[in-house]
Amino acid sequence: MERPLARNEVTRLGPDSKFHHAGLRRGLSPATLRKLDAISRLRVFPRDAVVVPQGGALEYVGNVVRGVLRMERLLSDGRSQIVGLLVPTDMFGRVFSERSDYSIEAATEVTLCCFERHAFEALVRTCPDLEHAVLLAVLDELDAAREWITLRAGPTVAARLATYLLMLCRRWPHQTSELTQDAKRIVVNVPIARNDLAHYLGTTVESISRAVQAFSRDGIISILTPLRFEILDLPALIALSDNEEFDAHALLEGLREEQRVSP
């Protein structure tokens, strides 16, 4: 059964122009940013709150500022399926659409930078730089959907879990990954609970736990906490993923570059 929209659990805060790290805002002119800030509000949702129900009216769109959203679809047989995860800088909601084809829920406590949809659409029509930013956000969502298809195509739970950990390192390095002090290994933080992870990978919590323990016994990872792992053998993890598009050198260099440019 779908959970009700938790409006009484939402904290509405005033406009704040400091959240320019949100992916949607990169590359916008100062004039467009001022217009965007005038219609922006921060909203805080607790874990498991429904931001937008499946089939519900899309009243606002925006960016994730903190936390993780899950996109979930209720199937005709009563089962539900997580079809995507959104992390900080990702855009949620669909512009020029009245309703959502899936529910958008808080996988963790989340802070969202929200824009009333009709006001946002009016800005998109008159600001070419914002229209361009929205198009890039849509393309990012398509890339994420392709990655999810690749992920679910893994023949085993171990392959899917390995692919997921590598995707975290590549797609969201500034949110989920960091280098060890010697810059030779990666520490990855899984941003969602084990039950959501199992749901996302199409398996069970028990199967996830068995795969994690097997990775640890084989010296591929070190378990720092239930959701935090140090990757000890990156080539072995890539081999387990059965995905030739991952490259150990590129992943490490990407994180080193991320570390150099981070404040």
Side-chain angles (χ1 to χ4, degrees), residues 127-204:
C127 300
D129 53 344
L130 181 57
E131 182 181 38
H132 179 72
V134 170
L135 176 59
L136 290 178
V138 171
L139 293 175
D140 283 344
E141 186 174 337
L142 286 174
D143 286 342
R146 293 188 185 102
E147 287 187 342
W148 181 79
I149 292 170
T150 300
L151 174 69
R152 290 298 297 269
T156 65
V157 173
R160 279 173 258 160
L161 179 60
T163 300
Y164 178 72
L165 295 177
L166 294 166
M167 282 172 53
L168 291 180
C169 298
R170 185 178 68 181
R171 185 168 180 80
W172 300 306
H174 55 299
Q175 303 295 340
T176 61
S177 309
E178 60 195 79
L179 291 173
T180 54
Q181 192 168 6
D182 60 8
K184 293 181 179 179
R185 295 182 305 280
I186 300 173
V187 174
V188 60
N189 300 283
V190 176
I192 54 176
R194 280 277 179 99
N195 60 326
D196 277 338
L197 178 58
H199 198 180
Y200 188 54
L201 298 184
T203 186
T204 63

